Amino acid sequence: MLAPYRRLLAHPGVPHLLVAGLIVKLGTPVLSLALLLSAVDRLGSYATAGLVLTGHALALALCAPLGGRIADRYGPRPALTGYLAAHALAYALLLLAPPVLMIGAAALLGATTPPAGSVIRGAWPRLVPAASLPAAYAVDNAVNEVTFIVGPLLVPVLTLAVPAHGVVAAAGAAVLLGTALLLASPAVRQAAPTPPGRLSLAGPLTHRPTLLLLTIAAFGTFTFGCLRIATVASATTFASASSAGVLMGLLSAGALLGTLGYGARGWPVTGGRLLVPLSLAEAVILLGGGWVPGFVTLAVLITLVGLVTGPRDAVVPTLLADHAPARHRTEVFAWLSTFTWAGYGLGTAVAGRLTGPHDTGATAFGVAAAAAVACAILAAVANRISSPLLTPARETLGKHSGESDRYGYGRPLSKGRSCPLRTLGVAARAGARVPLRAHHGERLSGPAGPSPSHRGDRVLRRPGVRLRGGRPERPARAGRGR
């Protein structure tokens, strides 16, 4: 079961990337709680402190795609270096500015947050072969879960030694240290900027499969936002409002186990098709949450929700790495952060609006279940528009050419092996000259270069071969005339 993770950690640069990511991501939940406590101490008002957090979160969510676009255009190393300097100055302003400027300083801090998480997620396809990507993104998601479990627990421990202002400084030191470690990693040092293309304000959002996957991720965090409200309402009914923290802890623990279980084995269905049953199972469990007879049953159901949402949260970035345009990869993962935070905010707002002071949480559970069904529908639509003749956008054939058919790319491109014609699109972008054989056994050789009839960068139609029903077929010839 642990073999995929052992193979992952054996690749050069992977441990370095994981350590840097752990330190960077640990600073986010610590900062969120410490900034609230610091704002309350300095401003004396929870309402104003809430505005400080809102300013920071909105600036972070809105400016994240810009950081990803800069990293794609100029390379992750120059982008991270510039953001590191700007973020350090923003932290100094936040810590030294008078209370009246705290909201603006928090917004500046969010706007200058280095795109470290997006760079890390975009680096996995360059660092490991395709067969190890599920394990890589499972570990990446597990790191997120661990930081959001451990981070809030560290804050009260640190406040025993330093004031809340000092904890904010400690969180900033963690982010800056992790970003500096990321700058020294081989995955960042060896990454080259993408060649300039046509400028577009929407960027990768014009790519329909990418937009669908981002929307699926937003619906996923919408359910999480609803659960935040539903657990508090249900816990108040069965025990006390403070026990809602236990339920959210069980949700995170279930998600951690689920995501590690997903990356530890191969699955009989591809990642895109796996999203449909996972989302439907989540919807069924959430519907049951509104009718549970007691707190223990509710705790079991919440843990089950985590077990199915953990794999889903690992599948989505894996699919984004495969399907999103390679020249926008870092920006795509930055948009993923924006979409997930937007979904979470909308989920808490909608569920909070529909939940009364004496509600049992059934309405919020129902809304969360509806969002999970929407996830399943969107996943089914995404699978349908991903025609069998369309293969995910891969940058190079190179080291991935020998990998097994894990995502539907076809068989390995080795001599004498049969290969679906759609795999030629992969070889085309790699400039590969490989002997291939069509399904009916006729060998096709020569450079796999694009032809005028290819669709985008996805499908290559060989001269003299037409497609019928998704299979290659050579037309009959009147004479060979050799």
Side-chain angles (χ1 to χ4, degrees):
M1 180 176 179
L2 296 178
Y5 296 116
R6 286 197 294 267
R7 288 194 295 269
L8 175 68
L9 293 174
H11 291 288
V14 169
H16 189 146
L17 195 65
L18 288 175
V19 171
L22 176 63
I23 296 174
V24 167
K25 293 175 182 179
L26 187 60
T28 301
V30 172
L31 175 65
S32 180
L33 182 54
L35 186 59
L36 174 62
L37 298 176
S38 175
V40 171
D41 287 344
R42 298 182 65 188
L43 302 174
S45 167
Y46 281 100
T48 312
L51 291 177
V52 171
L53 286 185
T54 301
H56 176 264
L58 284 177
L60 175 60
L62 294 176
C63 296
L66 175 62
R69 180 170 295 192
I70 293 173
D72 281 329
R73 176 63 184 86
Y74 299 102
R77 200 172 191 187
L80 287 175
T81 302
Y83 268 91
L84 186 64
H87 203 53
L89 292 175
Y91 258 110
L93 178 62
L94 178 67
L95 295 172
L96 301 175
V100 69
L101 297 178
M102 196 169 183
I103 296 176
L108 181 62
L109 186 70
T112 59
T113 300
S118 305
V119 168
I120 291 172
R121 284 180 162 176
W124 287 120
R126 297 193 303 268
L127 200 60
V128 300
S132 294
L133 280 180
Y137 285 110
V139 170
D140 188 88
N141 192 50
V143 168
N144 286 338
E145 295 293 342
V146 169
T147 56
F148 276 93
I149 294 173
V150 175
L153 298 178
L154 283 177
V155 174
V157 175
L158 292 174
T159 52
L160 296 176
V162 295
H165 219 50
V167 181
V168 172
V175 173
L176 298 177
L177 174 61
T179 305
L181 287 175
L182 186 59
L183 279 169
S185 68
V188 171
R189 286 190 286 107
Q190 298 170 7
T194 57
R198 185 177 61 181
L199 292 178
S200 171
L201 182 62
L205 299 185
T206 58
H207 187 245
R208 188 168 56 175
T210 298
L211 182 59
L212 271 174
L213 288 170
L214 292 173
T215 306
I216 289 170
F219 273 107
T221 51
F222 183 95
T223 64
F224 182 70
C226 291
L227 275 178
R228 281 284 189 184
I229 304 298
T231 51
V232 172
S234 297
T236 304
T237 301
F238 294 126
S240 64
S242 59
S243 59
V246 175
L247 295 176
M248 298 311 295
L250 290 173
L251 179 68
S252 296
L256 179 60
L257 291 176
T259 191
L260 290 176
Y262 162 74
R265 55 158 295 177
W267 294 87
V269 293
T270 58
R273 291 184 176 90
L274 189 60
L275 282 176
V276 177
L278 285 174
S279 299
L280 291 177
E282 181 188 7
V284 172
I285 298 169
L286 288 170
L287 280 177
W291 306 96
V292 292
F295 183 82
V296 175
T297 309
L298 179 62
V300 172
L301 285 180
I302 292 296
T303 306
L304 291 176
V305 171
L307 286 173
V308 296
T309 56
R312 182 201 63 201
D313 293 342
V315 168
V316 170
T318 305
L319 293 174
L320 282 173
D322 283 330
H323 291 77
R327 63 191 181 95
H328 291 306
R329 185 172 287 151
T330 308
E331 185 182 351
V332 163
F333 286 115
W335 276 112
L336 178 62
S337 176
T338 298
F339 271 68
T340 53
W341 279 107
Y344 172 73
L346 285 174
T348 53
V350 171
R353 179 71 176 174
L354 297 176
T355 303
H358 304 292
D359 202 324
T360 61
T363 304
F365 275 116
V367 174
V373 172
C375 275
I377 294 173
L378 287 175
V381 171
N383 288 330
R384 285 187 63 84
I385 68 171
S386 297
S387 165
L389 290 177
L390 299 182
T391 185
R394 310 295 297 180
E395 280 186 289
T396 60
L397 187 64
K399 62 181 179 180
H400 301 304
S401 61
E403 298 299 333
S404 61
D405 184 13
R406 182 123 188 180
Y407 305 107
Y409 305 144
R411 295 292 180 188
L413 303 182
S414 57
K415 187 174 181 179
R417 298 286 301 273
S418 70
C419 179
L421 194 65
R422 55 183 169 164
T423 313
L424 291 170
V426 181
R429 285 182 301 286
R433 187 182 182 93
V434 292
L436 301 173
R437 190 183 302 175
H439 282 291
H440 60 291
E442 185 169 357
R443 182 177 295 278
L444 304 174
S445 60
S451 70
S453 61
H454 77 290
R455 296 180 58 186
D457 63 349
R458 297 214 174 180
V459 179
L460 175 67
R461 301 192 179 189
R462 300 290 296 173
V465 178
R466 68 173 180 265
L467 301 178
R468 175 173 295 175
R471 299 178 65 84
E473 177 182 298
R474 278 194 179 275
R477 296 183 182 179
R480 297 194 177 268
R482 289 190 178 275

